[in-house]
Amino acid sequence: MRIARAAVSVDLKNVTKSFGRTRVVDSVDLHVEPGKLTTLLGPSGCGKTTTLRMIAGFQEPDSGEIYIGGRRVDVLPAYLRNTAMVFQDYALFPHMSIFSNVAYGLRIRGVRPEEIKKRVTEALELVQLAGMENRFPAQLSGGQQQRVALARALVIQPDALLLDEPLSNLDAKLREAVRSELRDIQQRTGITSIYVTHDQEEAFSLSDTVVVMSEGRIQQVGTPEDIYYRPANRFVAEFVGTTNLLSAVVLTAQREHVVLAAAGTTLVATSPGRRFAPGQSVLLTVRPESVHIAATVPPAGEEHRGDPGELNVLPCQVVKTTFLGSRSRHTVRLPDGTPWTVDVSDPGTATMTCGEAFVAFAPERTHVIASEALGGTPASPG
Amino acid sequence: MELSAGKAQRHTGRHNRTLTRAGKVMREPALVFVVGGSVALLVVFLFLPLGKVLAMPGAGDWLSYFETPRFVRATLNSLFMAAISTASATILGFAFAYAVTYAEVPGSRIFRIIGLLPLMSPPFVTGLAFILLFGRRGLITWTLLGLRPDIYGWKGLWAVQTFAFFPTAYLSISSVLKAAGSNLEFAAVNVGARRWRVFRDIVLPLATPGIAGAALLVASQVLADFGNPMLIAGDFTVLATESYLELITNWSPARAAVLSAVLLVPALVVFLVQRSIVERRSFVTVTGKPIQGTRMGPVPWLKWGLTVFCLAIALFVLAIYGVVLVCAFVKTWGADFTLTAYHFVMAVIRGRELGNSLMLSAAAAAFSALFTVVLAYVVQFKQVPGKAVLDFAAVLPSAVPGTVLGIGYVLAFNSGPLAMTGTAFIIITFMIFHYMAVGYRTASGMLKQIDRGIEEASTNLGAHSLRSFWSVMLPLMKPAFTTGLLYTFIRSMNSVSGPIFLISPTWTLASVSIINLADHGYWGQASSLGVAVVGSIFVVLGVARFVLGEKVRLFEI
Ligand SMILES: Nc1ncnc2c1ncn2[C@@H]1O[C@H](COP(=O)(O)OP(=O)(O)O)[C@@H](O)[C@H]1O
Ligand SMILES: [Mg+2]
C-alpha cells in the first residue's frame, strides 16, 4: 500500500501512570525507531496495555511526555494523534459492513467517496480480504476479523500502528500464519509499529526491537538475540525461555571476557558492553540448548580449561532424562547442588543414563548478570 | 461464527438426547405428574379465561363494537396514549439511563436508586401525587398559586404515565448501555471520531434494539394501565377503563369481553415484536468485553445539563412520595394542613384491606415462585413434547393486560364446576398466573447457564429426576426463586386492573381501595393506604435482603 507519510519515531519520556496506589507504568523511557516494529514483552498485568493506551490517548499519563514524530502528543485528544490501534478483541463495529468498518476513519476525515473506495479496496487487498466488503463482522472467522481490524488501522495511514495482543484470540495454527503475514505487511508498509504481547516467541519472530517490561518498568531493550542470549538481569533471563543460572565470583574482567570462579572451578564468559569488578558476586546464565552433555570429559576441554574461546566444563550428576522427540531434556545437578537443564537436539536413541557426566558450554554462550537480583525482584535497568 | 458453530453442536447434541430421553420421560412418574400438572394449570388458569374472552361474545356483540362510537373512541384513545406516553417515557428513560449509566454524572449512584423506586410502588401512586400537586386542590396549583386548572384529561394522563413508566425504560436501556463495549468507542476515536460522532455512529446504533425493546415494554404497560386512567383521565376513556365500565356499571359481560379482546390485539403485537427484537439483539453481546478504562462521556456542558436534569427528575420522584406521605397525615389536603392520624387509623388500622393484600400477595408469590422454577426446569432440562409451547405459555401472561385476564377470570369462574368468584382463591390464582413471566424468565435464563453436566452427574450417581431437582437444582436456582417471589409479591400488592373485577366484600384489596377512595375524594385515606402499601413493600424487600444475605436482583429485565 502507498504510504504517504514518512515513518516517524515514537518517544516516551519518563512516563508514569498509577491506578489508585499502584504504579502500573513507572518512569518509562522509550525510543521507538521510525519504520521499525518494537514489541513490549512482559507478563500479564505488567502495564503493557496501559502504555499502549497512553500512546493512543485513551489514558492520560500522570507525568511524563509522549512524542510522535517529534511532536508532543500527550496534550492532544486521542482523535488528533493519528495513531491506529488493533485491539485484542478486534473491536470491529458489529453494525457496519466490512467496507464501512474500514472506511470509517476515512469518512471522518472527510475523504472523497471515490478515494475512500480506492483506499479501502487497497487495504482489504493488502490483508487478503478483497471481496468481503459487504459482509458483516459476525460472518467472518476470527482470523478474518483480525485482518479487518488491521486494514481499518492501516487505511488511515497512521503515524504509529499500535497492536495489543492482536493474535491472542486466534488458535495456535492460525496465529503462526497471521504472525508472519503481519510481519510482512509491517515491513512492506514501513509504519512505525508498537506491538504488545506476553508471548516471547511472538515477540522474537516479529520484532526489530524487544522491550521487556515487568511491574511497570522497562527491564531491557534490545534485539531478540540480545534479549535471549544476553539478558540484562535475572528477570529477563528467567522470563524469556528456560535458563540455567549459577552463582559465581568475578576473578578477572578484561574487555569482553570475564573469568569467574563457580562450582569449584574457573569458567569464562563473554559480556559485551558490561563492566564487572574482580571480587564481585554475579550470576552466570546459559540456555539449555547451549549446553552439551557427555559421559566423559571432552579431550580438548580438560587441558585448556579457563582459556577464552574454549569450552567451559563442569562435572554433574544426571538426575532425569525425558525424551521429547525433536530433543531430549536432561535435568542435572552441578557439584554445588544447582539444578540445570540441558537440551540435546536430534537425540536419536543415544540417550544419557542417570549418573556421573560432564556438561560443557562455550564462553560466547555464557552470559554474566549482576547478582543483586538474586533475591527475586528484578534489577532496575542498567 | 464460533458462537453459531457451538450452538449448532449443542442442537445436534440435544437432538441425540431426544431419542434417549423421550423414553425416559415415561419411565419417570414424578416427571409425568409435574408436566401434566403444569399443563393442566396453564390450561385452566390462563387459556380458559383468555378463551372465554374470545368465545363469549356473539356476532351481535362484535358488531356492537363498530356501532358504538364510544368504543371506537376508547380504542383510538388507548393507541394514542400508548404512542405518546411511550415516546415521552422512553426519551426520558433514555436520557436518565445515559446520564447515570453511561455519562456517570455526579450523584449517579443516588439517581440510580431513586430511578428504581417507582418500579416498586403502584403506578397509580404517581397519578395520586399528581392530583395532590396539580389538581383542583393541588399543593402547587391551588395552595401556592391559587389556580384551578383542569388536569383531568389526556394531557394529565400523559404526564402521569410518562413519569410512572419512564423507570421501566430507564432500567431496560441502562442494561443495554452497560453492555456497549468501550473498546468499540475507543476504536472509533482512534481513527479520528469525536464524541458526538462516537455517540451517533457507535453508541446509538448499538443501543437501538435495546431502546426499541424498552419502548415496547413501556407501550405494553401503558396499554394495560388501569389505575391512572381511572384517576386522572376524566372523560378521556381508554379500553381498560371502558371495559371496566361495561362489566361493572352496565353489567354487559359480552361487550366487556369484546373490548378486552380488542385491547389484547395491540398488547400481543407489542409483545411479539418485543420478543423478536430481544432475540435478535445478538451483536451487542458477541463482542461484549468487560469495559476497561474510561468511557467517552459527553462534553462538560452536556454533562452538567444532564446532572441538572437527573436532579429535577429525582426531586420530582421524591416529591411524589413526599406529598402522598404528607397527605396521609393532614386533616384536609389543600385546606387544613394540621397533622392527624385519623385517615391512617381509618384506612389502615381499622380496614382489612392491607392485611388482605399482604396475605394474598404472599400466598401468590410463594406458589408462583415455586411453580415457575419447576416449570422452567422441566422446559429447559427435560425432553418433554411441546416444550416451545410451554415456554411461550409461561411468558404470555406478561403480555396480557390485567383487565383482560381479570375479565376472563370473571367469565370463566363465575359459575359451573369452577365457580369461585368472591373467594380469596380466585384472586390468588389470578396473581400467580398474571405475574409468572418474570420468575419464569429468570429461572430459565439461569438454567441455560447451568451446565447440564451438573444435573447429569447427579442422575448418574443414581438420583432420579425429582431427587436431583430437589437436592441439586433447587439450591442452584435460589436466586431465581427469590426473584420470582419478590416480583410477584410486589406486582400483586400493586395490582388493580385485574383484582378490581375479582374482589368481594370479604376479600377487598388495598390497591383497589386506594383507587376507590381517591375516586370519591377521600385523599387522606387513599394516601394512607398508599403509604402503607409502599411502606410494606419496602419492609418486605429490606427483610428479604437481610434474610437472604445477598443482593436481591429484582428488576433486571
Ligand atoms: N482502568 C484501570 N483501572 C484500574 N486498574 C487498571 C486499569 N487498567 C489496568 N489496570 C491495572 O493495571 C495493571 C496493568 O494493566 P495492563 O496495562 O492492562 O497490563 P498488561 O497489558 O501488561 O497485561 C493491572 O494490574 C491492571 O489490573
Ligand atoms: Mg494487556
Side-chain angles (χ1 to χ4, degrees), chain A residues 137-174:
Chain A
Q139 297 170 301
L140 301 189
S141 72
Q144 290 171 323
Q145 291 187 28
Q146 218 286 320
R147 283 182 283 167
V148 175
L150 185 62
R152 182 178 67 184
L154 290 172
V155 81
I156 61 166
Q157 301 174 344
D159 287 331
L161 179 65
L162 310 173
L163 305 110
D164 189 359
E165 313 228 6
L167 306 182
S168 62
N169 283 350
L170 303 179
D171 61 51
K173 252 213 177 111
L174 201 54

mmCIF file of all heavy atoms in Angstrom, chain A residues 137-174:
data_model
loop_
_atom_site.group_PDB
_atom_site.id
_atom_site.type_symbol
_atom_site.label_atom_id
_atom_site.label_comp_id
_atom_site.label_asym_id
_atom_site.label_seq_id
_atom_site.Cartn_x
_atom_site.Cartn_y
_atom_site.Cartn_z
ATOM 1 N N PRO A 137 -19.081 -8.247 10.367
ATOM 2 C CA PRO A 137 -18.073 -8.876 11.215
ATOM 3 C C PRO A 137 -18.474 -10.255 11.737
ATOM 4 O O PRO A 137 -17.651 -11.171 11.762
ATOM 5 C CB PRO A 137 -17.898 -7.882 12.363
ATOM 6 C CG PRO A 137 -18.185 -6.568 11.752
ATOM 7 C CD PRO A 137 -19.264 -6.830 10.733
ATOM 8 N N ALA A 138 -19.744 -10.391 12.134
ATOM 9 C CA ALA A 138 -20.159 -11.667 12.718
ATOM 10 C C ALA A 138 -20.097 -12.810 11.711
ATOM 11 O O ALA A 138 -20.136 -13.970 12.089
ATOM 12 C CB ALA A 138 -21.569 -11.539 13.291
ATOM 13 N N GLN A 139 -19.987 -12.461 10.413
ATOM 14 C CA GLN A 139 -19.956 -13.526 9.401
ATOM 15 C C GLN A 139 -18.528 -13.971 9.089
ATOM 16 O O GLN A 139 -18.332 -14.834 8.252
ATOM 17 C CB GLN A 139 -20.616 -13.034 8.110
ATOM 18 C CG GLN A 139 -22.089 -12.707 8.292
ATOM 19 C CD GLN A 139 -22.659 -12.008 7.072
ATOM 20 O OE1 GLN A 139 -22.189 -10.941 6.684
ATOM 21 N NE2 GLN A 139 -23.643 -12.604 6.456
ATOM 22 N N LEU A 140 -17.555 -13.339 9.724
ATOM 23 C CA LEU A 140 -16.165 -13.681 9.433
ATOM 24 C C LEU A 140 -15.578 -14.537 10.542
ATOM 25 O O LEU A 140 -16.031 -14.513 11.679
ATOM 26 C CB LEU A 140 -15.316 -12.411 9.298
ATOM 27 C CG LEU A 140 -15.722 -11.408 8.230
ATOM 28 C CD1 LEU A 140 -14.652 -10.338 8.109
ATOM 29 C CD2 LEU A 140 -15.937 -12.086 6.886
ATOM 30 N N SER A 141 -14.531 -15.275 10.179
ATOM 31 C CA SER A 141 -13.835 -16.055 11.200
ATOM 32 C C SER A 141 -12.958 -15.126 12.025
ATOM 33 O O SER A 141 -12.738 -13.970 11.665
ATOM 34 C CB SER A 141 -12.967 -17.100 10.521
ATOM 35 O OG SER A 141 -11.871 -16.457 9.911
ATOM 36 N N GLY A 142 -12.445 -15.650 13.122
ATOM 37 C CA GLY A 142 -11.593 -14.848 13.993
ATOM 38 C C GLY A 142 -10.402 -14.264 13.259
ATOM 39 O O GLY A 142 -10.090 -13.081 13.384
ATOM 40 N N GLY A 143 -9.764 -15.090 12.437
ATOM 41 C CA GLY A 143 -8.590 -14.624 11.705
ATOM 42 C C GLY A 143 -8.946 -13.523 10.718
ATOM 43 O O GLY A 143 -8.208 -12.549 10.562
ATOM 44 N N GLN A 144 -10.110 -13.665 10.095
ATOM 45 C CA GLN A 144 -10.533 -12.635 9.136
ATOM 46 C C GLN A 144 -10.895 -11.342 9.840
ATOM 47 O O GLN A 144 -10.535 -10.251 9.384
ATOM 48 C CB GLN A 144 -11.735 -13.147 8.325
ATOM 49 C CG GLN A 144 -11.358 -14.250 7.347
ATOM 50 C CD GLN A 144 -12.587 -14.887 6.725
ATOM 51 O OE1 GLN A 144 -13.613 -15.055 7.381
ATOM 52 N NE2 GLN A 144 -12.489 -15.250 5.466
ATOM 53 N N GLN A 145 -11.566 -11.464 10.966
ATOM 54 C CA GLN A 145 -11.914 -10.257 11.728
ATOM 55 C C GLN A 145 -10.645 -9.512 12.119
ATOM 56 O O GLN A 145 -10.585 -8.287 12.067
ATOM 57 C CB GLN A 145 -12.669 -10.637 13.004
ATOM 58 C CG GLN A 145 -14.046 -11.180 12.747
ATOM 59 C CD GLN A 145 -14.829 -11.379 14.035
ATOM 60 O OE1 GLN A 145 -14.610 -10.697 15.018
ATOM 61 N NE2 GLN A 145 -15.736 -12.328 14.030
ATOM 62 N N GLN A 146 -9.677 -10.296 12.518
ATOM 63 C CA GLN A 146 -8.399 -9.745 12.907
ATOM 64 C C GLN A 146 -7.794 -8.919 11.769
ATOM 65 O O GLN A 146 -7.270 -7.828 11.958
ATOM 66 C CB GLN A 146 -7.500 -10.925 13.250
ATOM 67 C CG GLN A 146 -6.596 -10.689 14.399
ATOM 68 C CD GLN A 146 -5.507 -9.783 13.984
ATOM 69 O OE1 GLN A 146 -5.005 -9.915 12.885
ATOM 70 N NE2 GLN A 146 -5.183 -8.863 14.862
ATOM 71 N N ARG A 147 -7.901 -9.449 10.578
ATOM 72 C CA ARG A 147 -7.300 -8.745 9.447
ATOM 73 C C ARG A 147 -8.107 -7.524 9.034
ATOM 74 O O ARG A 147 -7.558 -6.542 8.557
ATOM 75 C CB ARG A 147 -7.111 -9.717 8.278
ATOM 76 C CG ARG A 147 -5.896 -10.610 8.547
ATOM 77 C CD ARG A 147 -5.640 -11.550 7.420
ATOM 78 N NE ARG A 147 -6.580 -12.662 7.464
ATOM 79 C CZ ARG A 147 -6.746 -13.513 6.469
ATOM 80 N NH1 ARG A 147 -6.069 -13.364 5.358
ATOM 81 N NH2 ARG A 147 -7.585 -14.502 6.588
ATOM 82 N N VAL A 148 -9.431 -7.582 9.260
ATOM 83 C CA VAL A 148 -10.233 -6.380 9.018
ATOM 84 C C VAL A 148 -9.775 -5.280 9.974
ATOM 85 O O VAL A 148 -9.598 -4.122 9.582
ATOM 86 C CB VAL A 148 -11.741 -6.648 9.221
ATOM 87 C CG1 VAL A 148 -12.529 -5.357 9.072
ATOM 88 C CG2 VAL A 148 -12.228 -7.682 8.232
ATOM 89 N N ALA A 149 -9.561 -5.670 11.221
ATOM 90 C CA ALA A 149 -9.105 -4.696 12.214
ATOM 91 C C ALA A 149 -7.784 -4.076 11.766
ATOM 92 O O ALA A 149 -7.563 -2.876 11.901
ATOM 93 C CB ALA A 149 -8.940 -5.364 13.575
ATOM 94 N N LEU A 150 -6.926 -4.899 11.188
ATOM 95 C CA LEU A 150 -5.637 -4.398 10.715
ATOM 96 C C LEU A 150 -5.835 -3.445 9.530
ATOM 97 O O LEU A 150 -5.227 -2.374 9.473
ATOM 98 C CB LEU A 150 -4.757 -5.583 10.319
ATOM 99 C CG LEU A 150 -3.329 -5.252 9.919
ATOM 100 C CD1 LEU A 150 -2.600 -4.607 11.089
ATOM 101 C CD2 LEU A 150 -2.593 -6.515 9.479
ATOM 102 N N ALA A 151 -6.713 -3.836 8.616
ATOM 103 C CA ALA A 151 -6.985 -2.972 7.460
ATOM 104 C C ALA A 151 -7.562 -1.641 7.907
ATOM 105 O O ALA A 151 -7.189 -0.579 7.406
ATOM 106 C CB ALA A 151 -7.946 -3.673 6.498
ATOM 107 N N ARG A 152 -8.468 -1.687 8.879
ATOM 108 C CA ARG A 152 -9.079 -0.466 9.381
ATOM 109 C C ARG A 152 -8.020 0.471 9.973
ATOM 110 O O ARG A 152 -8.113 1.686 9.868
ATOM 111 C CB ARG A 152 -10.121 -0.816 10.446
ATOM 112 C CG ARG A 152 -10.837 0.390 10.999
ATOM 113 C CD ARG A 152 -11.888 0.012 12.005
ATOM 114 N NE ARG A 152 -11.321 -0.540 13.217
ATOM 115 C CZ ARG A 152 -12.043 -1.013 14.229
ATOM 116 N NH1 ARG A 152 -13.357 -1.011 14.151
ATOM 117 N NH2 ARG A 152 -11.471 -1.493 15.294
ATOM 118 N N ALA A 153 -7.026 -0.150 10.602
ATOM 119 C CA ALA A 153 -5.964 0.658 11.194
ATOM 120 C C ALA A 153 -5.028 1.209 10.126
ATOM 121 O O ALA A 153 -4.635 2.375 10.152
ATOM 122 C CB ALA A 153 -5.192 -0.167 12.211
ATOM 123 N N LEU A 154 -4.673 0.370 9.143
ATOM 124 C CA LEU A 154 -3.688 0.779 8.146
ATOM 125 C C LEU A 154 -4.230 1.833 7.193
ATOM 126 O O LEU A 154 -3.494 2.695 6.717
ATOM 127 C CB LEU A 154 -3.232 -0.439 7.335
ATOM 128 C CG LEU A 154 -2.370 -1.452 8.091
ATOM 129 C CD1 LEU A 154 -2.170 -2.690 7.235
ATOM 130 C CD2 LEU A 154 -1.030 -0.836 8.473
ATOM 131 N N VAL A 155 -5.521 1.770 6.919
ATOM 132 C CA VAL A 155 -6.087 2.589 5.859
ATOM 133 C C VAL A 155 -5.989 4.085 6.156
ATOM 134 O O VAL A 155 -5.929 4.902 5.253
ATOM 135 C CB VAL A 155 -7.553 2.165 5.569
ATOM 136 C CG1 VAL A 155 -8.502 2.779 6.588
ATOM 137 C CG2 VAL A 155 -7.959 2.538 4.166
ATOM 138 N N ILE A 156 -5.941 4.435 7.421
ATOM 139 C CA ILE A 156 -5.845 5.862 7.736
ATOM 140 C C ILE A 156 -4.403 6.354 7.705
ATOM 141 O O ILE A 156 -4.124 7.497 8.054
ATOM 142 C CB ILE A 156 -6.501 6.209 9.096
ATOM 143 C CG1 ILE A 156 -5.796 5.469 10.229
ATOM 144 C CG2 ILE A 156 -7.984 5.932 9.095
ATOM 145 C CD1 ILE A 156 -6.164 6.012 11.610
ATOM 146 N N GLN A 157 -3.497 5.501 7.292
ATOM 147 C CA GLN A 157 -2.084 5.851 7.208
ATOM 148 C C GLN A 157 -1.597 6.494 8.498
ATOM 149 O O GLN A 157 -1.202 7.658 8.543
ATOM 150 C CB GLN A 157 -1.841 6.789 6.029
ATOM 151 C CG GLN A 157 -2.268 6.136 4.731
ATOM 152 C CD GLN A 157 -2.182 7.067 3.549
ATOM 153 O OE1 GLN A 157 -2.081 8.286 3.701
ATOM 154 N NE2 GLN A 157 -2.219 6.502 2.371
ATOM 155 N N PRO A 158 -1.619 5.710 9.561
ATOM 156 C CA PRO A 158 -1.282 6.272 10.864
ATOM 157 C C PRO A 158 0.215 6.538 10.994
ATOM 158 O O PRO A 158 1.013 5.940 10.278
ATOM 159 C CB PRO A 158 -1.706 5.166 11.829
ATOM 160 C CG PRO A 158 -1.530 3.914 11.036
ATOM 161 C CD PRO A 158 -1.879 4.264 9.616
ATOM 162 N N ASP A 159 0.539 7.447 11.895
ATOM 163 C CA ASP A 159 1.947 7.664 12.214
ATOM 164 C C ASP A 159 2.485 6.490 13.014
ATOM 165 O O ASP A 159 3.655 6.150 12.915
ATOM 166 C CB ASP A 159 2.112 8.946 13.030
ATOM 167 C CG ASP A 159 1.908 10.174 12.167
ATOM 168 O OD1 ASP A 159 2.194 10.072 10.954
ATOM 169 O OD2 ASP A 159 1.459 11.200 12.682
ATOM 170 N N ALA A 160 1.632 5.912 13.832
ATOM 171 C CA ALA A 160 2.062 4.761 14.615
ATOM 172 C C ALA A 160 0.948 3.730 14.644
ATOM 173 O O ALA A 160 -0.223 4.066 14.834
ATOM 174 C CB ALA A 160 2.413 5.188 16.036
ATOM 175 N N LEU A 161 1.330 2.491 14.408
ATOM 176 C CA LEU A 161 0.379 1.381 14.460
ATOM 177 C C LEU A 161 0.563 0.697 15.810
ATOM 178 O O LEU A 161 1.672 0.302 16.164
ATOM 179 C CB LEU A 161 0.668 0.414 13.319
ATOM 180 C CG LEU A 161 -0.212 -0.828 13.213
ATOM 181 C CD1 LEU A 161 -1.645 -0.439 12.911
ATOM 182 C CD2 LEU A 161 0.315 -1.763 12.138
ATOM 183 N N LEU A 162 -0.525 0.608 16.552
ATOM 184 C CA LEU A 162 -0.439 0.037 17.894
ATOM 185 C C LEU A 162 -1.209 -1.276 17.912
ATOM 186 O O LEU A 162 -2.384 -1.318 17.553
ATOM 187 C CB LEU A 162 -1.025 1.011 18.916
ATOM 188 C CG LEU A 162 -0.499 2.444 18.828
ATOM 189 C CD1 LEU A 162 -1.265 3.360 19.774
ATOM 190 C CD2 LEU A 162 0.989 2.487 19.131
ATOM 191 N N LEU A 163 -0.556 -2.345 18.325
ATOM 192 C CA LEU A 163 -1.215 -3.649 18.307
ATOM 193 C C LEU A 163 -1.185 -4.253 19.706
ATOM 194 O O LEU A 163 -0.116 -4.496 20.253
ATOM 195 C CB LEU A 163 -0.518 -4.581 17.313
ATOM 196 C CG LEU A 163 -0.396 -4.040 15.889
ATOM 197 C CD1 LEU A 163 1.043 -3.701 15.573
ATOM 198 C CD2 LEU A 163 -0.938 -5.035 14.882
ATOM 199 N N ASP A 164 -2.364 -4.489 20.256
ATOM 200 C CA ASP A 164 -2.441 -5.024 21.610
ATOM 201 C C ASP A 164 -2.812 -6.504 21.580
ATOM 202 O O ASP A 164 -3.967 -6.847 21.405
ATOM 203 C CB ASP A 164 -3.475 -4.239 22.417
ATOM 204 C CG ASP A 164 -3.437 -4.598 23.895
ATOM 205 O OD1 ASP A 164 -2.613 -5.468 24.271
ATOM 206 O OD2 ASP A 164 -4.205 -4.010 24.673
ATOM 207 N N GLU A 165 -1.839 -7.349 21.733
ATOM 208 C CA GLU A 165 -2.044 -8.802 21.702
ATOM 209 C C GLU A 165 -3.007 -9.196 20.591
ATOM 210 O O GLU A 165 -4.010 -9.876 20.847
ATOM 211 C CB GLU A 165 -2.582 -9.300 23.049
ATOM 212 C CG GLU A 165 -1.813 -8.729 24.214
ATOM 213 C CD GLU A 165 -1.402 -9.773 25.242
ATOM 214 O OE1 GLU A 165 -1.615 -10.966 24.981
ATOM 215 O OE2 GLU A 165 -0.824 -9.387 26.254
ATOM 216 N N PRO A 166 -2.730 -8.799 19.373
ATOM 217 C CA PRO A 166 -3.725 -8.993 18.318
ATOM 218 C C PRO A 166 -3.953 -10.463 17.967
ATOM 219 O O PRO A 166 -4.947 -10.787 17.344
ATOM 220 C CB PRO A 166 -3.138 -8.243 17.126
ATOM 221 C CG PRO A 166 -1.675 -8.234 17.372
ATOM 222 C CD PRO A 166 -1.504 -8.189 18.849
ATOM 223 N N LEU A 167 -3.037 -11.334 18.344
ATOM 224 C CA LEU A 167 -3.181 -12.722 17.930
ATOM 225 C C LEU A 167 -3.723 -13.624 19.022
ATOM 226 O O LEU A 167 -3.951 -14.802 18.804
ATOM 227 C CB LEU A 167 -1.820 -13.271 17.471
ATOM 228 C CG LEU A 167 -1.109 -12.466 16.388
ATOM 229 C CD1 LEU A 167 0.186 -13.137 15.991
ATOM 230 C CD2 LEU A 167 -1.997 -12.295 15.174
ATOM 231 N N SER A 168 -3.933 -13.051 20.204
ATOM 232 C CA SER A 168 -4.206 -13.938 21.340
ATOM 233 C C SER A 168 -5.561 -14.621 21.265
ATOM 234 O O SER A 168 -5.783 -15.606 21.947
ATOM 235 C CB SER A 168 -4.083 -13.168 22.646
ATOM 236 O OG SER A 168 -5.040 -12.143 22.656
ATOM 237 N N ASN A 169 -6.478 -14.102 20.419
ATOM 238 C CA ASN A 169 -7.769 -14.780 20.317
ATOM 239 C C ASN A 169 -7.824 -15.785 19.166
ATOM 240 O O ASN A 169 -8.875 -16.315 18.860
ATOM 241 C CB ASN A 169 -8.897 -13.753 20.146
ATOM 242 C CG ASN A 169 -9.235 -13.084 21.466
ATOM 243 O OD1 ASN A 169 -8.763 -13.526 22.522
ATOM 244 N ND2 ASN A 169 -10.010 -12.028 21.422
ATOM 245 N N LEU A 170 -6.681 -16.013 18.547
ATOM 246 C CA LEU A 170 -6.666 -16.971 17.438
ATOM 247 C C LEU A 170 -6.113 -18.304 17.917
ATOM 248 O O LEU A 170 -5.361 -18.356 18.890
ATOM 249 C CB LEU A 170 -5.779 -16.447 16.309
ATOM 250 C CG LEU A 170 -6.142 -15.080 15.756
ATOM 251 C CD1 LEU A 170 -5.160 -14.679 14.669
ATOM 252 C CD2 LEU A 170 -7.558 -15.095 15.213
ATOM 253 N N ASP A 171 -6.470 -19.378 17.222
ATOM 254 C CA ASP A 171 -5.905 -20.653 17.657
ATOM 255 C C ASP A 171 -4.455 -20.762 17.166
ATOM 256 O O ASP A 171 -4.008 -20.042 16.285
ATOM 257 C CB ASP A 171 -6.769 -21.834 17.207
ATOM 258 C CG ASP A 171 -6.901 -21.920 15.712
ATOM 259 O OD1 ASP A 171 -5.854 -21.893 15.044
ATOM 260 O OD2 ASP A 171 -8.035 -21.998 15.221
ATOM 261 N N ALA A 172 -3.732 -21.693 17.756
ATOM 262 C CA ALA A 172 -2.276 -21.730 17.616
ATOM 263 C C ALA A 172 -1.804 -21.749 16.152
ATOM 264 O O ALA A 172 -0.892 -21.020 15.779
ATOM 265 C CB ALA A 172 -1.732 -22.938 18.360
ATOM 266 N N LYS A 173 -2.445 -22.549 15.326
ATOM 267 C CA LYS A 173 -2.011 -22.690 13.936
ATOM 268 C C LYS A 173 -2.155 -21.384 13.180
ATOM 269 O O LYS A 173 -1.245 -20.904 12.523
ATOM 270 C CB LYS A 173 -2.858 -23.766 13.263
ATOM 271 C CG LYS A 173 -2.083 -25.028 13.007
ATOM 272 C CD LYS A 173 -2.570 -25.714 11.743
ATOM 273 C CE LYS A 173 -1.726 -26.939 11.474
ATOM 274 N NZ LYS A 173 -2.488 -28.184 11.666
ATOM 275 N N LEU A 174 -3.370 -20.805 13.330
ATOM 276 C CA LEU A 174 -3.687 -19.567 12.646
ATOM 277 C C LEU A 174 -2.762 -18.455 13.119
ATOM 278 O O LEU A 174 -2.324 -17.600 12.350
ATOM 279 C CB LEU A 174 -5.144 -19.213 12.966
ATOM 280 C CG LEU A 174 -5.850 -18.261 12.024
ATOM 281 C CD1 LEU A 174 -5.751 -18.773 10.609
ATOM 282 C CD2 LEU A 174 -7.305 -18.127 12.436
#
